[in-house]
Amino acid sequence: MAAPRAVLAAEEGSSETAQILSDSAPGDCKRPQFGTRFLTDPRQVFQHNAWDNVEWSEEQEASAKRKVLENNQPLPPEKQEEYDNRANEFWNSFYTIHENRFFKDRHWLFTEFPELAPQCSLNNESQREVSDSDHSQQESLSHTDGDVPGSSATYRILEVGCGVGNTVFPILKTNNDSGLFVYCCDFSSTAVELVKTNPEYDPQRCFAFVHDLSDVEADYPVPEGTLDVIVLIFVLSALHPNKMQASIGRLARLLKPGGVMLLRDYGRYDMAQLRFKKGRCLSENFYVRGDGTRVYFFTQDELHEMFTEAGLEKMQNLVDRRLQVNRGKQLTMYRVWIQCKYRKARAQPLESHGQELGGDLPSLTVA
C-alpha cells in the first residue's frame, strides 16, 4: 500500500513523481544525506533540481494554514465509510492500472537509513545499532507450527506497504549479507502478486504476503520479538487516523530488543495537502485522492506520541522541508516530509537484572 509520492502536475494530488534521489544506481553509498544543499541566493533557484531545509516565511506558512482551513469541510459520514470499506478495492485498482511503472526504486534509503544495508557505511564505521549482539551469533527462529520463512536468517527486515517492491528489491540488491531475509507485505493482493512475479524476487531471501496493517488481529509470518528492522515508507498516512496507534503498537511487538522502526511520510502543509480541493477532506488533515486512495499529513509531535506510546525510544524525528524545482517549466514545489527512527529498548543483561532484584535469578528448567 505504498502511497503515491511527490505531486508534480497531476490533479488533486492523486499522482506523484518519484523523488530526485531515486535516480541513482544500486549500491550507491556515497550520496550525501538531505540537508546538504542550501539555497542562499534566490536567483540561483533553478540551478539545481532540489534544495534542502528551505525556511518558510511567516507569510508562506500563514498562507498554507489558510489554504488547509478553506478545504477542511469533511465529506458526509456515509461517504467516509464507503472509502474505508472499499480501500482494498481502490489500491488493487491503482496497481492494476499502473503495475510497476509508477514508482522508481528508492536507492536513497541507504543514505537516510543505513540500517537497511549496514555494510554500506558513509563513514566506514558500523552504522547498525539494532541488536544486542553481532547478528552472526543470533539464534534461528523456531515455531511450533513448523518452519517460518527466513527461519535461519540472522538479520530480518520487514517492509509494510511494499507496493510493487521499490524498496524491497533495492535492499536485496544492495545488502549482500548472506544472513539477510526480507519480509514484505501490502494491503493490495495485486501489488503482492507483482512483487512475486518480478524476476528479481528470490524466495530464498524474501517472502511477500498480503496483509492489512490496520487489522491488529491478523497474524504476521514471524513471531514477536524477532525483527531487526521495520520499514514504513509513505504507508502509515494511508490508514485511517483512528487505526494508526494500534497498528504501530502491533508492529513494535515484532521488533527484537534494540530493533528499529524506520518511517518516512507526509508532513503537515506539504504541497500535496495544499493542492486538495473542496470535497476531498475526510477529517482534519486526512483526504481522499481522485483514485479513492487516502492520505494523512503528520506533525512531528503526532508521530512521536504514537511511537513512544508503543514503547519505542526516539533516535531521530525530523522535518525535511525541500524545495523541488522543475527547471524546464520554471516551477517550484515546496515539499514537507517527516523522517523518523525509533528503537525498542535493549534487553537488560540478566546479571544486572538479578542484582537489581537483590540476588541471583533462579535457573529455568524445561519439563
Side-chain angles (χ1 to χ4, degrees), residues 21 28-37 52 107-112 122 322:
L21 293 179
D28 179 4
C29 305
K30 298 181 180 179
R31 181 189 305 105
Q33 291 176 296
F34 79 82
T36 58
R37 179 180 289 162
D52 299 321
H107 300 292
W108 57 268
L109 286 171
F110 304 106
T111 302
E112 301 302 334
L122 294 176
R322 187 169 301 188

Side-chain angles (χ1 to χ4, degrees), residues 2-6 16-28 31-32 34 37 49-50 52 100-112 165-167 169-171 173-174 233-234 264 320 322 324 335 337:
R5 305 165 44 230
E16 311 193 14
T17 64
Q19 286 182 350
I20 302 300
L21 293 179
S22 301
D23 296 332
S24 67
D28 179 4
R31 181 189 305 105
F34 79 82
R37 179 180 289 162
N49 290 327
D52 299 321
N100 61 357
R101 300 183 299 269
F102 196 85
F103 302 106
K104 293 183 180 181
D105 286 351
R106 298 162 173 162
H107 300 292
W108 57 268
L109 286 171
F110 304 106
T111 302
E112 301 302 334
N166 300 105
T167 295
F169 293 126
I171 292 175
K173 289 179 188 176
T174 304
I233 305 298
F234 295 96
R264 191 169 176 86
D320 178 4
R322 187 169 301 188
Q324 289 188 334
R335 306 315 311 268
W337 297 304

Side-chain angles (χ1 to χ4, degrees), residues 93-104:
S93 177
F94 174 86
Y95 287 112
T96 297
I97 294 170
H98 297 288
E99 295 184 338
N100 61 357
R101 300 183 299 269
F102 196 85
F103 302 106
K104 293 183 180 181

Side-chain angles (χ1 to χ4, degrees), residues 12 65 67-84 240-241 268 272-290 292-297:
E12 299 180 0
K65 291 178 179 179
K67 182 68 174 177
V68 169
L69 288 174
E70 288 173 4
N71 301 323
N72 71 345
Q73 296 301 315
L75 291 172
E78 57 271 18
K79 289 296 293 183
Q80 296 190 42
E81 185 176 358
E82 177 186 352
Y83 286 118
D84 195 49
H240 192 288
R268 190 69 47 84
Q273 181 176 17
L274 304 184
R275 288 175 63 91
F276 279 108
K277 309 298 182 185
K278 291 182 179 180
R280 290 294 174 186
C281 183
L282 296 171
S283 61
E284 191 172 2
N285 302 303
F286 189 45
Y287 304 83
V288 60
R289 302 184 180 92
T293 61
R294 299 172 298 175
V295 59
Y296 186 85
F297 296 87

